[in-house]
Amino acid sequence: YRVGAGVRLPIVKWEVIGTYTHFGTQDHQEKGVIPPSLLISLKGGIAPPLHEACSDYKIDYDNIELDLRQSSFLSRLLGIGTSLGIKKTWIEQKQGVSYRGNAVTRVKDRCRFNGLGPTIGFNMKWALFYGVSLIADTKGSLLFGSFEVKQSGSEIELKGKAYHFTPTLHFLLGLHWDYPMKWAQFNLSFGYEAEYFWRQNQSVEIDNNTSKRLRFQLIRYAEDLTFYGGTLRAGIEF
């Protein structure tokens, strides 16, 4: 869900808009094979022969934005706008993996991100018919924040904290409908929305090298993260 409110400043012709967004989801997957076939463990240290793997994943995303927006018309049907603002984001990812074979091995991963940074955006509104318009919004930001990662298992627990820049890119493409009333204007929009985070999904792993003697090496991984889906939005202007 997302909630927001704004106010128009008539003197400078800018809008001040604040929004809060929350998104959470989880997933569960299992994989098994019939012996003598084996599975290879992708997390944790050295594991005995495996015949079944089970993964539980959960993610929570919270975001607060404060934007200054200004709009203008290039023609009677086409309007464009720009925005400048600041963005605060929290993302927490948790994954638990269980391996079953001659014994049971469970590995837990966690990645917490807390970042803050500036945003800049561009939007377009193209009027079609009867108050219906085509809208397109895009916004980029550069967040600086902390990554707290943790991996724990039956024999070892790893923790790490680092500070990095994380670029993000957001876009929305859809249809917008305005319905004027006596003292206000109601609007409704539906579109496809996506937000991309570079190097957001981070974790720590142990690399086992058994060429001649046992050696452990700590490796930090970083992968990209994407949120996407359909968005229904309703609002009222006074």
Side-chain angles (χ1 to χ4, degrees):
Y1 61 87
R2 173 182 292 132
V3 293
V7 60
R8 189 185 305 273
L9 305 177
I11 299 177
V12 295
K13 297 181 180 180
W14 283 81
E15 293 178 279
V16 181
I17 300 177
T19 58
Y20 167 72
T21 305
H22 172 78
F23 177 75
T25 187
Q26 56 187 1
D27 193 18
H28 173 86
Q29 290 187 356
E30 294 186 15
K31 175 68 176 180
V33 295
I34 301 176
S37 299
L38 300 175
L39 292 176
I40 299 175
S41 61
L42 300 179
K43 292 181 176 293
I46 299 175
L50 307 171
H51 307 299
E52 184 180 352
C54 176
S55 173
D56 292 287
Y57 176 82
K58 183 180 180 181
I59 186 169
D60 285 297
Y61 166 87
D62 294 277
N63 182 75
I64 296 176
E65 291 189 40
L66 184 64
D67 292 320
L68 289 173
R69 301 182 185 179
Q70 187 179 52
S71 301
S72 59
F73 287 94
L74 294 181
S75 67
R76 184 173 60 90
L77 301 178
L78 181 61
I80 61 171
T82 56
S83 66
L84 296 172
I86 189 169
K87 175 184 178 79
K88 176 72 173 179
T89 302
W90 299 266
I91 300 177
E92 182 173 27
Q93 303 177 72
K94 295 180 180 179
Q95 184 182 25
V97 182
S98 296
Y99 300 106
R100 299 181 178 90
N102 299 333
V104 178
T105 303
R106 182 162 179 83
V107 182
K108 295 182 180 180
D109 262 322
R110 186 189 70 193
C111 176
R112 288 177 176 172
F113 173 72
N114 184 353
L116 175 71
T119 66
I120 183 171
F122 174 81
N123 61 81
M124 182 196 72
K125 185 175 182 181
W126 182 19
L128 299 177
F129 50 85
Y130 299 111
V132 178
S133 304
L134 176 67
I135 57 173
D137 298 337
T138 182
K139 183 183 297 184
S141 61
L142 183 62
L143 304 179
F144 179 77
S146 63
F147 287 89
E148 296 182 6
V149 295
K150 177 182 178 181
Q151 184 184 103
S152 59
S154 57
E155 299 179 353
I156 194 170
E157 182 176 294
L158 305 174
K159 293 183 179 180
K161 186 173 183 178
Y163 293 87
H164 299 290
F165 283 99
T166 299
T168 74
L169 181 63
H170 169 272
F171 77 87
L172 170 70
L173 180 65
L175 293 175
H176 180 91
W177 176 57
D178 289 313
Y179 180 74
M181 297 180 289
K182 186 175 182 180
W183 300 106
Q185 178 169 281
F186 176 77
N187 59 74
L188 186 70
S189 63
F190 177 78
Y192 182 81
E193 183 177 4
E195 187 168 17
Y196 195 91
F197 290 82
W198 277 267
R199 299 180 60 82
Q200 177 59 227
N201 187 0
Q202 300 200 13
S203 63
V204 289
E205 297 282 351
I206 297 179
D207 181 34
N208 301 319
N209 190 332
T210 57
S211 56
K212 292 184 179 180
R213 57 182 180 178
L214 187 62
R215 185 180 66 183
F216 297 99
Q217 182 179 4
L218 186 63
I219 300 176
R220 179 185 287 265
Y221 291 94
E223 297 180 349
D224 299 342
L225 177 66
T226 309
F227 298 99
Y228 58 91
T231 296
L232 179 65
R233 187 182 298 175
I236 187 168
E237 298 182 17
F238 299 95

